Amino acid sequence: MTDWVVELMDKLGAPGAALAIALENLFPPLPSEVILPLSGFTAARGRMDLVEALVWTTLGSVVGAVALYWVGAVLGRERVLAIAARLPLVKASDIEKTEAWFLRHGRKTVFFGRMIPIFRSLISVPAGVERMPLPTFLLLTTAGSALWNTAFVLAGYFLGENWTLVEAYVGAGTNVVIGVVALAMAVFVVVRLTERRRGRHR
């Protein structure tokens, strides 16, 4: 699974890591949890600069996300769902769930969604369907992707030969991230409801 990523990085350096991550966004089954730590490990070996790895992988994430944004914007909801139903590793229900979360929570999902596997790719589609302002989409996507990518690239960089441990623990880490996101959403809702109640009593 990692051979093609290694070959890309050997031939192209940091831009190869960007290409791999862009493809990961377009084809969610490709795991960034493998690509990003491997990028960090490659940087630790001196095959690329660490800062370059961080910048290029984030750029790759943004490029892949923008491509899916335009898929949603150009094709629309019904055609996207019809295409998803024909793809072997993507379920239409995944897009429907992502769309429902986007409609419920809005732009926050674009930022937080970048830290949840599978979801981070699919969230771009409803953002495009709903025509979220592109500058806002780019800002939130870049910020969320930078945080996610930095954590995994640095993990691979410092773990060295043991970079594969990142993938082994990613399941537990994903659950933690989902829990944090859910907590953040809950806090936001409570704060917003409290503000509205106070406004009514004035």
Side-chain angles (χ1 to χ4, degrees), residues 1-6 8-9 13-43 48 53-54 56-58 60-61 120-121 148-149 151-157 163-164 166-167 170:
M1 177 65 194
T2 60
D3 290 346
W4 69 276
V5 181
V6 173
L8 269 179
M9 293 181 192
L19 178 58
I21 287 297
L23 291 173
E24 183 266 341
N25 272 266
L26 296 172
F27 304 98
L30 297 175
S32 69
E33 294 84 356
V34 172
I35 298 170
L36 292 170
L38 183 55
S39 301
F41 173 56
T42 303
M48 69 174 80
L54 295 171
W56 279 95
T57 53
T58 299
S61 294
R120 67 171 164 269
S121 297
W148 175 265
N149 292 1
F152 279 82
V153 170
L154 289 179
Y157 184 84
W163 68 269
T164 52
V166 177
E167 186 185 10
V170 75

Side-chain angles (χ1 to χ4, degrees), residues 107-130:
R107 60 184 62 185
K108 296 183 295 298
T109 59
V110 175
F111 174 78
F112 288 115
R114 298 301 162 193
M115 305 172 205
I116 302 175
I118 301 296
F119 189 89
R120 67 171 164 269
S121 297
L122 298 180
I123 192 60
S124 301
V125 176
V129 169
E130 297 299 322

Side-chain angles (χ1 to χ4, degrees), residues 92-169:
S93 60
D94 291 334
I95 293 180
E96 290 173 336
K97 290 174 184 176
T98 305
E99 178 187 41
W101 202 40
F102 177 82
L103 293 174
R104 191 177 305 118
H105 300 292
R107 60 184 62 185
K108 296 183 295 298
T109 59
V110 175
F111 174 78
F112 288 115
R114 298 301 162 193
M115 305 172 205
I116 302 175
I118 301 296
F119 189 89
R120 67 171 164 269
S121 297
L122 298 180
I123 192 60
S124 301
V125 176
V129 169
E130 297 299 322
R131 295 300 180 100
M132 170 185 275
L134 190 56
T136 301
F137 178 79
L138 287 172
L139 177 63
L140 294 172
T141 296
T142 301
S145 297
L147 285 174
W148 175 265
N149 292 1
T150 297
F152 279 82
V153 170
L154 289 179
Y157 184 84
F158 290 113
L159 285 172
E161 296 286 349
N162 296 316
W163 68 269
T164 52
L165 291 174
V166 177
E167 186 185 10
Y169 290 106

Side-chain angles (χ1 to χ4, degrees), residues 3 11 27 39 48 51 62 66 73 78 80 86 159:
D3 290 346
K11 289 183 177 179
F27 304 98
S39 301
M48 69 174 80
V51 174
V62 173
V66 169
E78 297 306 320
V80 168
R86 295 173 187 166
L159 285 172

